[in-house]
Amino acid sequence: MALKINKIVNGPIPDSFLADETKRLDSLKFDGQHLEVLDQLLLPHEFKYIPVNDVSDAFNVIRSMQVRGAPLIAVVGSLGLLLELNKSSELNFRAIREKIDYLISSRPTAVDLRNSVTGLIPILEVEGITDDVKLAKCREYLLNVYTAEKLQNRILVWNAYQELLSAFPGKEKFTVMTICNTGSLATVSWGTALGVIRALHSENRLNLAYVLETRPYNQGIRLTATELLHGQVPFKLITDSMAAWAMKNHQVDCVLVGADNVARNGDTANKIGTYMLAVLCKHHNINFYPVVPFTTINKNISSGEEIKIEERPASELLRVNGVLVGNSECPVWNPAFDVTPAHLITKILTDFGNWAPDALEEQIPK
């Protein structure tokens, strides 16, 4: 899948749009030779960057959820593989393919990672060029996963922002709701859904954002709240079970969410609880928007029924910050994601335009 396929809505994007980089947190540090990632399990109480030197390190920080968020997972996996290839002077196709499969297994629902690292395979299979040239092209490709994400994210956030202005003509300020964390801690830039909320605030178009705490990992209270406090964005934290009551009583204009996997028909997999929000939006006549980069579109599956849903350990539900809050023998079902059917989605907002779900497939390059 190509890394760049951009369509700017109502462009060009003004230089002033999200120009203040001090308003966002850095999910990683990369100087071309060394990679450090922010350990998100320690937030909000400690900001600590930990080194990632190879594929094994990348797998571990992704699997443990020290790093999370579909775009960021893809970048960290790609850079981990890049650093490992930088140590090698020989091309070993079998070994690289094993490392690709290993990385994908760290979070199997996150299609961005799969799309990014499997992009090496066509390079490896090209005939008529030397292994040295292939190795150089692989390194260039993996570095581009990192550099391209910033450009694509800026276009994504702009397109989504323009969609809201178009969908709500004359509206001065928006009240929105979101789940999980989809900001700079989930990307290497401003974020997806939370990036749009940041854009609304920077353009003085945000009234308030309702942030779901997002059990069981509490990404809303630990990560999204941290980002919004840092950026001085107006928000209120609510429990997941308060969403319906907030919609009924506080004039929520739209719900903005991220996604980890989008099928060709528009069915969308995201953090568990997202499907619940879509159903509530349908009842309350509220627009529901997944905000996703092109790399999240999974052209290999026709519907959400084919999306593999990762199930996490029971301990993650029974413990909070390592403290057991339930009986250790309590039976647990802990899916990390759910699938929102396309008919509950208003539009899917992307860096290649904004589309009704039934029009999405025809936009995907063959």
Side-chain angles (χ1 to χ4, degrees):
M1 181 173 285
L3 282 175
K4 292 183 179 180
I5 175 166
N6 300 315
K7 179 180 179 181
I8 301 175
V9 176
N10 298 334
I13 304 174
D15 292 340
S16 60
F17 186 72
L18 290 177
D20 188 356
E21 295 285 330
T22 65
K23 295 293 186 180
R24 68 176 183 85
L25 300 172
D26 291 324
S27 59
L28 58 75
K29 298 177 180 180
F30 181 63
D31 63 5
Q33 299 296 324
H34 304 94
L35 173 64
E36 293 182 328
V37 299
L38 183 61
D39 185 346
Q40 298 189 24
L41 293 179
L42 302 178
L43 295 176
H45 306 297
E46 183 179 357
F47 284 75
K48 178 182 179 182
Y49 288 86
I50 53 179
V52 172
N53 298 310
D54 51 28
V55 166
S56 179
D57 287 349
F59 176 94
N60 289 334
V61 297
I62 293 170
R63 181 63 187 168
S64 68
M65 293 186 66
Q66 291 170 293
V67 163
R68 26 67 54 208
L72 181 60
I73 288 171
V75 169
V76 171
S78 297
L79 291 181
L81 185 51
L82 171 64
L83 292 174
E84 194 151 314
L85 291 183
N86 283 345
K87 302 173 185 176
S88 175
S89 59
E90 296 182 356
L91 186 72
N92 186 325
F93 178 88
R94 181 176 178 180
I96 293 175
R97 185 57 194 259
E98 288 176 352
K99 294 178 189 300
I100 288 172
D101 291 340
Y102 180 58
L103 283 169
I104 291 171
S105 71
S106 63
R107 296 299 302 276
T109 305
V111 75
D112 292 60
L113 174 61
R114 179 185 299 272
N115 283 340
S116 295
V117 294
T118 56
L120 285 181
I121 295 174
I123 299 173
L124 296 170
E125 293 177 342
V126 171
E127 297 181 356
I129 61 174
T130 65
D131 284 355
D132 287 345
V133 173
K134 287 184 181 181
L135 188 58
K137 287 184 176 294
C138 286
R139 291 168 175 159
E140 179 183 7
Y141 170 88
L142 291 169
L143 180 61
N144 191 53
V145 173
Y146 167 64
T147 57
E149 200 276 340
K150 294 185 176 183
L151 169 63
Q152 291 171 312
N153 184 254
R154 182 174 174 79
I155 295 171
L156 168 64
V157 173
W158 171 262
N159 285 356
Y161 172 70
Q162 291 297 310
E163 177 62 31
L164 295 188
L165 299 187
S166 175
F168 297 89
K171 191 163 193 69
E172 292 187 6
K173 292 197 173 186
F174 292 79
T175 298
V176 303
M177 183 178 287
T178 192
I179 189 171
C180 198
N181 173 260
T182 57
S184 59
L185 295 176
T187 65
V188 293
S189 42
W190 284 98
T192 57
L194 195 60
V196 182
I197 294 172
R198 300 296 301 273
L200 288 169
H201 175 62
S202 70
E203 300 295 323
N204 198 29
R205 304 298 293 267
L206 180 69
N207 175 47
L208 189 70
Y210 284 97
V211 175
L212 273 64
E213 63 174 347
T214 317
R215 285 282 291 143
Y217 245 87
N218 297 307
Q219 292 98 327
I221 189 171
R222 292 190 304 104
L223 307 180
T224 297
T226 299
E227 286 198 46
L228 296 181
L229 286 169
H230 177 80
Q232 298 179 312
V233 178
F235 76 99
K236 285 186 178 179
L237 182 73
I238 62 175
T239 67
D240 299 353
S241 55
M242 293 176 186
W245 198 236
M247 290 179 180
K248 179 176 174 59
N249 290 284
H250 294 292
Q251 195 57 47
V252 175
D253 296 303
C254 65
V255 170
L256 298 163
V257 303
D260 289 76
N261 204 323
V262 180
R264 295 198 307 269
N265 73 337
D267 291 349
T268 298
N270 191 47
K271 178 55 56 186
I272 190 75
T274 304
Y275 174 43
M276 171 191 72
L277 287 180
V279 172
L280 293 175
C281 283
K282 187 73 169 180
H283 177 76
H284 291 94
N285 195 28
I286 294 172
N287 288 9
F288 180 88
Y289 298 111
V291 184
V292 301
F294 173 71
T295 48
T296 307
I297 310 299
N298 191 341
K299 67 178 182 179
N300 296 317
I301 61 172
S302 61
S303 76
E305 293 183 359
E306 300 174 58
I307 296 175
K308 180 180 179 181
I309 298 299
E310 175 188 359
E311 295 195 13
R312 303 288 299 180
S315 60
E316 295 180 0
L317 189 57
L318 296 174
R319 295 177 180 271
V320 176
N321 291 337
V323 178
L324 186 66
V325 295
N327 191 307
S328 61
E329 297 181 0
C330 180
V332 168
W333 180 48
N334 188 17
F337 304 93
D338 55 29
V339 177
T340 299
H343 69 86
L344 295 178
I345 294 171
T346 306
K347 275 189 176 181
I348 297 175
L349 312 183
T350 79
D351 52 330
F352 63 102
N354 304 319
W355 308 101
D358 59 5
L360 180 66
E361 184 167 2
E362 62 190 63
Q363 310 303 323
I364 302 173
K366 305 301 182 185

